[in-house]
Amino acid sequence: MSPENVGPEQIFRDFDQIPFFYIIFLVLAAILLSSLVRRLIPSLARVLPPRFSYYLLPMMPIFRLMITGLALLMIVPTIVKPSMQNFIAFFGAIGLALGFAFKDFASSLIAGIIAVYEQPYRVGDRVTINGVYGEVQSINLRALKLVTPDDDAVTIPHNCIWNGMVMNSNDGCREQQCSALFYLNPDHDAEMVCQILQDVALASPYTLFSRPIRVAVREMPWATQYRIRAYPVDGRDAFAYISDLTCRGKAALREAGLKFPAAGGIAGQAYDATDYAV
Amino acid sequence: MSEEACKTIWNFVPPAKFKLPAEPASRKARSFFQRLFPGIRNEDSESGHEAVQSELKNAPGALVDWLAPFPSWSQAATAIEETLSPWLEDEIPDGNSMVMVAPYGSGLGKMLAALAEKNHWRVLAAPDYRILRSRDFSWLADLPLNSESTVVIPRLEEFFLRHFNGLEHLRKFVEKIFKANSRYIIGCNSWLWHYIASAMHLGDSFSRVCYLQSLQAQDLQQLFCWLESQQNHRPTVFRQADNGSFVLPPELTGKGRVEVADNIAGAKSEFPSSFLKKLAVESRGIPLVAWAIWRNSLRLAPDEDVAEIAREVADNDAAATAKAKTIWVKAFENIELPVVPEGAGQADAFLLLFLLQHDGLTAETIFALLNFGRDQLISLLNRLQKAGVVVFENNVWRASWQGYPAIRRFLAEQDHLQDAM
C-alpha cells in the first residue's frame, strides 16, 4: 500500500479501540512526574551546597523532556494502528503540519533539544542573548527565561541559538570574574595604588579567596586605568560586588590622597567596549 | 577531679596533628537525610520519656553557675607555658614569633592573658579601631622591638580590621614583628588565622604556629567534673532525662569525692557517656561552645523546689552531710540550640563571618565595614539576636557560643571562607 492511499481510518484505531482512560492516566502521570521533577530538583539543590545547584538545575529540562517523550511514545501506539507505514504516515503528517503551521515553534523545540545537549546556557548562568543580559531562571521546552539586573523577566525562544550569539559569563560554574575600573590622575605611586586596590578586594565580604585577585594597570593619555579583577563567592552577586568594589575603592583612593582625573578628560575619550564587561 | 588531671586536656599541637572529635558515619548520614526530609524522626530520642522530659524545670541561673561556672584558664595557661618552654628557653630560637591558634569560643585570649600575668610579661595593647581605619601608622613606631621580656598579644583580632586601611596596618604590624628581637606570643582565632593565611598570604610571616587540640568527649568529662567541683560542695549526680543513665561519672562530681575519684577514675567502661560524645562532635571540641550547651542542658525534676535547691547547693555547711542531689540532663537530641533563621542569605552570612573574624564588633564598626544600609544591618542584628545566634554584650555584638555550630554550618552552606578547625 502506498502512503498516498492511506486514509485516516487505516492509520487510527477505531474509536472504541482507543483506551481513553489509559491515555488520560498517562497524561496525568506525565504531568505529575514533570511537576514532581520541577519541585524535587530545586528543593534538592537548596539542601545541597550551592555549588551543586549548577549541576542539578540544568538536569530539570532533560528529565522533563524525557518524561514528555516517554509519554508520547506510549500514547501514540494506542491511537495509531501499530504498523511501520502508519507510524511514518502519522509522524509525517504531524511533521508537515508542524512545518507549516508551527515552523518557529518546532524550530524552537528542536533548538531546545539541541540546547539541552550542547548547553550554551544552563539554569543559573549569566548570559547575554540578543543584547539582553541576565541570569537564566528556567529552561522550558520552547524558550528560556532570563531575569535582568533590573528584575525584568525576558522570555527568549531557543531558536535564537541557530543564528544568534550566546555570551555566557560563567558557563555552568558558580564563579564569575568581575572587574571594577578606576581612573586616576597619572601623577601618583602606582605600586601603592595596586596595594590599596588589592586590599579593597580583600576587604570586600563578597570576595572569593580561592581565586586570584589581580590589579591590572593601563596607562592612557588622560589617566591611569586600574582594573581590579576578582571573583565573588556567588556569581549572582556580580553587580553588587562591582558596586561594593567601586564604593570601597573610591573611598580608599580618596583617603590615600589620590586625585581622580578631571571629568572633561574622561568624557572626551572613547571607552573600550570591554570596560563595561562584567 | 584534681587540678593536675584537668590540665592535661589543654594541648597545643602542630597544625598537621590537629583532629576533630570523630563523628560516626551513621550520624552524618542521619543529619543529611534529616536536612533533606525535615519530618524524619530521630531514632535516638526515646518517645516514652518525652513527656517526662518536657515536665523538667529549667535550672535557675544561680544553680547553673554553681554546677558549671565559667572556666578559669590557669591550667590552660600552665599547659601553654609547658608547650612553649623549649622555645622560650632556647637562647637562639628559630624565629621570634609563636602563633597560638584556637577556634572561636576557646577562651584563648584569656588563657594568654593569664599566662602573661603569671610571668609578668608585657601584654601589647591594640590601637583603637578608629586608628586602624585611618592611614595613620604612627602607633607602629611605639612597638617594643627590642624588649628583653616576652611580649604577649592575647587576641590578634584586636589588631585586625577587615577594611582597606586596616589590612595595611596588619601587614606593617607583622613586618615589624618579623624584624623585632623580642619574642612574641600571639593568640589568634581560627577564622582570622584562615583569612590571614589564605586571603592575605601572611601565614608564613610568623615563625611557628600551633593549634589548640579540640576537646574529645573524655576531655569534656574532665572539664565538667572539674568545673562542678569548683564551687559545688554537695555531692551531685548528672543523669540523662530520657533514660536515667549517668552523664558524668557519679564518683567524680561533688566536692569531697576527690579521693574516691582518684582511686576509681577510669574504672567505668561506659564513660565518657554518649551524651558527651555527641556534645564533643556538635561543639567541635571547642571549650566554651561545649560549656554553653552543657549549661543549657541542665534541668531539675518537676517536684523540686527551685529556690530551695539553689539554697541547698550553695550551703557549704549542709553539703557535707547531704544526700546526693540529682540534676537531670536533657537528651542531646532534645536540647534546643539556636538556628540561623529561615531565609537568611548573603547579608546574614557576611555579618556572621565578620563577627567571627573580628571576635565581635561594635555596631558602629559593623556599619563602617559592611556596605549595607544601617536599617538593614540593624534589622539583621535584631533578627539574629532573637534567634539566639548573636548576642550583644559590653557594647559588642558577637556570635553566641551555643549558636556557633549552626553559624559554621550556615557559612559552609554559603561557601564562605571557613576556618580549619
Side-chain angles (χ1 to χ4, degrees):
Chain A
M1 194 192 300
S2 60
E4 60 268 23
N5 296 332
V6 176
E9 69 284 354
Q10 288 162 304
I11 295 176
F12 295 105
R13 290 176 187 272
D14 292 338
F15 194 75
D16 54 354
Q17 284 183 335
I18 297 174
F20 287 104
F21 285 113
Y22 176 65
I23 293 170
I24 291 168
F25 170 76
L26 279 178
V27 170
L28 288 178
I31 292 170
L32 191 73
L33 266 177
S34 186
S35 62
L36 198 69
V37 164
R38 192 186 270 183
R39 280 163 185 271
L40 194 68
I41 290 186
S43 58
L44 194 65
R46 273 196 297 275
V47 170
L48 295 169
R51 59 183 174 277
F52 290 110
S53 65
Y54 287 86
Y55 302 100
L56 271 176
L57 292 176
M59 302 298 285
M60 203 157 64
I62 299 175
F63 284 133
R64 293 181 65 200
L65 186 67
M66 282 167 66
I67 291 165
T68 311
L70 197 68
L72 274 176
L73 277 178
M74 290 171 80
I75 289 170
V76 167
T78 64
I79 301 171
V80 177
K81 286 179 182 170
S83 78
M84 185 56 75
Q85 283 171 324
N86 284 352
F87 279 122
I88 290 169
F90 180 77
F91 285 115
I94 285 186
L96 206 64
L98 286 178
F100 282 108
F102 302 106
K103 183 169 70 68
D104 290 339
F105 184 79
S107 169
S108 289
L109 279 183
I110 294 163
I113 295 166
I114 301 291
V116 164
Y117 172 70
E118 281 190 357
Q119 297 193 324
Y121 37 72
R122 278 154 279 203
V123 175
D125 282 2
R126 269 79 57 188
V127 296
T128 307
I129 303 173
N130 294 341
V132 180
Y133 176 82
E135 182 183 328
V136 179
Q137 206 70 20
S138 62
I139 298 177
N140 296 312
L141 285 180
R142 189 193 68 82
L144 70 147
K145 192 183 270 184
L146 291 186
V147 174
T148 68
D150 296 333
D151 214 22
D152 293 328
V154 181
T155 303
I156 302 173
H158 291 300
N159 61 3
C160 64
I161 64 172
W162 295 141
N163 301 313
M165 189 176 66
V166 178
M167 266 173 65
N168 194 324
S169 302
N170 59 320
D171 198 22
C173 304
R174 197 177 183 212
E175 293 97 11
Q176 178 179 352
Q177 193 187 66
C178 296
S179 63
L181 288 165
F182 301 91
Y183 295 91
L184 289 177
N185 193 313
D187 183 20
H188 61 261
D189 176 355
E191 268 186 38
M192 184 184 78
V193 174
C194 285
Q195 185 63 68
I196 289 174
L197 293 178
Q198 182 90 13
D199 284 350
V200 162
L202 282 172
S204 172
Y206 292 93
T207 304
L208 177 73
F209 295 109
S210 58
R211 303 300 296 264
I213 298 168
R214 294 209 167 85
V215 179
V217 191
R218 189 172 162 196
E219 197 60 33
M220 293 183 163
W222 44 274
T224 308
Q225 183 203 62
Y226 289 86
R227 184 194 293 265
I228 306 178
R229 286 187 183 280
Y231 293 78
V233 173
D234 190 336
R236 286 173 295 185
D237 293 327
F239 287 102
Y241 183 44
I242 294 169
S243 302
D244 189 66
L245 289 177
T246 307
C247 291
R248 286 173 195 270
K250 285 189 79 164
L253 296 170
R254 187 173 286 130
E255 273 187 42
L258 293 151
K259 297 263 187 302
F260 298 100
I266 297 176
Q269 303 298 316
Y271 280 103
D272 178 348
T274 56
D275 289 355
Y276 294 105
V278 174
Chain B
M1 175 63 48
S2 69
E3 199 165 316
E4 190 60 29
C6 194
K7 197 181 78 182
T8 60
I9 68 174
W10 307 108
N11 292 302
F12 285 84
V13 295
K17 289 194 175 169
F18 175 81
K19 66 173 194 292
L20 287 169
E23 184 177 13
S26 58
R27 192 178 136 89
K28 265 188 186 173
R30 195 186 313 144
S31 61
F32 173 78
F33 282 109
Q34 276 177 338
R35 281 168 59 209
L36 196 58
F37 306 105
I40 288 184
R41 279 184 57 79
N42 200 323
E43 66 202 38
D44 280 5
S45 60
E46 293 182 19
S47 55
H49 296 276
E50 275 179 358
V52 178
Q53 287 201 70
S54 65
E55 287 167 17
L56 292 172
K57 287 180 183 171
N58 284 343
L63 176 60
V64 175
D65 287 342
W66 276 92
L67 297 169
F70 191 76
S72 92
W73 305 103
S74 54
Q75 296 97 342
T78 310
I80 294 176
E81 196 174 3
E82 284 174 11
T83 305
L84 296 182
S85 60
W87 177 69
L88 290 169
E89 286 160 14
D90 191 347
E91 288 189 5
I92 312 166
D94 358 320
N96 65 336
S97 56
M98 171 70 86
V99 183
M100 323 283 293
V101 183
Y104 177 79
S106 295
L108 179 67
K110 291 194 163 53
M111 292 178 197
L112 290 177
L115 176 71
E117 191 181 346
K118 185 182 167 195
N119 291 287
H120 308 290
W121 289 334
R122 180 172 174 178
V123 173
L124 200 61
D128 191 274
Y129 270 175
R130 274 169 297 190
I131 294 176
L132 293 179
R133 279 178 59 192
S134 72
R135 292 191 70 80
D136 172 12
F137 301 104
S138 57
W139 66 277
L140 291 159
D142 303 330
L143 287 179
L145 302 180
N146 297 306
S147 162
E148 285 191 5
S149 156
T150 302
V151 181
V152 179
I153 300 168
R155 293 169 67 236
L156 188 60
E157 298 87 272
E158 291 178 334
F159 292 77
F160 168 75
L161 197 63
R162 193 163 162 183
H163 179 268
F164 44 80
N165 289 333
L167 300 181
E168 186 63 8
H169 279 274
L170 185 68
R171 210 174 275 118
K172 287 185 187 293
F173 178 55
V174 171
E175 190 185 323
K176 285 271 184 187
I177 291 176
F178 175 71
K179 290 177 183 166
N181 292 319
S182 314
R183 284 188 173 93
Y184 278 80
I185 300 172
I186 303 161
C188 182
N189 110 26
S190 55
W191 287 84
L192 174 57
W193 179 249
H194 194 57
Y195 180 81
I196 287 176
S198 305
M200 297 183 73
H201 305 290
L202 290 178
D204 290 332
S205 304
F206 298 95
S207 321
R208 289 167 179 225
V209 182
C210 58
Y211 286 6
L212 173 66
Q213 185 62 279
S214 60
L215 301 185
Q216 309 293 316
Q218 179 68 38
D219 302 324
L220 290 180
Q221 178 178 297
Q222 277 182 291
L223 177 67
F224 296 151
C225 287
W226 183 75
L227 290 178
E228 192 270 345
S229 67
Q230 286 301 287
Q231 297 187 32
N232 184 20
H233 292 251
R234 185 190 178 99
T236 311
V237 290
F238 294 84
R239 300 179 67 188
Q240 193 162 313
D242 63 342
N243 58 18
S245 65
F246 290 109
V247 176
L248 297 177
E251 308 82 16
L252 303 187
T253 50
K255 203 96 172 182
R257 301 296 177 109
V258 175
E259 286 178 17
V260 182
D262 285 345
N263 289 333
I264 64 166
K268 296 269 185 183
S269 58
E270 65 266 33
F271 294 110
S273 58
S274 69
F275 178 94
L276 291 182
K277 286 177 187 163
K278 289 173 191 167
L279 177 59
V281 171
E282 177 69 9
S283 66
R284 300 176 72 83
I286 302 172
L288 289 176
V289 175
W291 170 79
I293 298 173
W294 170 243
R295 282 168 62 95
N296 180 8
S297 70
L298 302 180
R299 293 289 184 278
L300 289 176
D303 56 342
E304 296 273 22
D305 179 349
V306 170
E308 181 64 18
I309 282 267
R311 271 198 300 279
E312 278 181 22
V313 172
D315 187 350
N316 294 352
D317 296 331
T321 54
K323 278 176 27 185
K325 178 62 72 187
T326 300
I327 302 294
W328 294 99
V329 179
K330 267 190 144 184
F332 192 80
E333 292 72 22
N334 297 329
I335 300 174
E336 287 167 14
L337 294 175
V339 289
V340 178
E342 190 100 350
Q346 281 283 50
D348 302 77
F350 294 161
L351 178 58
L352 292 169
L353 183 66
F354 272 52
L355 290 182
L356 288 176
Q357 286 177 339
H358 293 86
D359 202 8
L361 286 167
T362 62
E364 279 310 312
T365 318
I366 294 172
F367 298 153
L369 295 187
L370 290 170
N371 281 352
F372 296 118
R374 286 180 173 232
D375 295 350
Q376 190 188 353
L377 284 169
I378 289 169
S379 114
L380 284 181
L381 285 167
N382 278 331
R383 200 156 61 98
L384 293 171
Q385 188 185 30
K386 270 187 218 157
V389 174
V390 301
V391 288
F392 184 61
E393 281 174 358
N394 306 323
N395 212 27
V396 167
W397 290 92
R398 65 167 180 83
S400 74
W401 292 321
Q402 280 197 72
Y404 178 75
I407 294 172
R408 200 178 189 287
R409 277 194 290 270
F410 171 65
L411 290 175
E413 283 164 10
Q414 298 277 326
D415 281 347
H416 277 285
L417 191 70
Q418 292 283 296
D419 68 341
M421 304 174 81

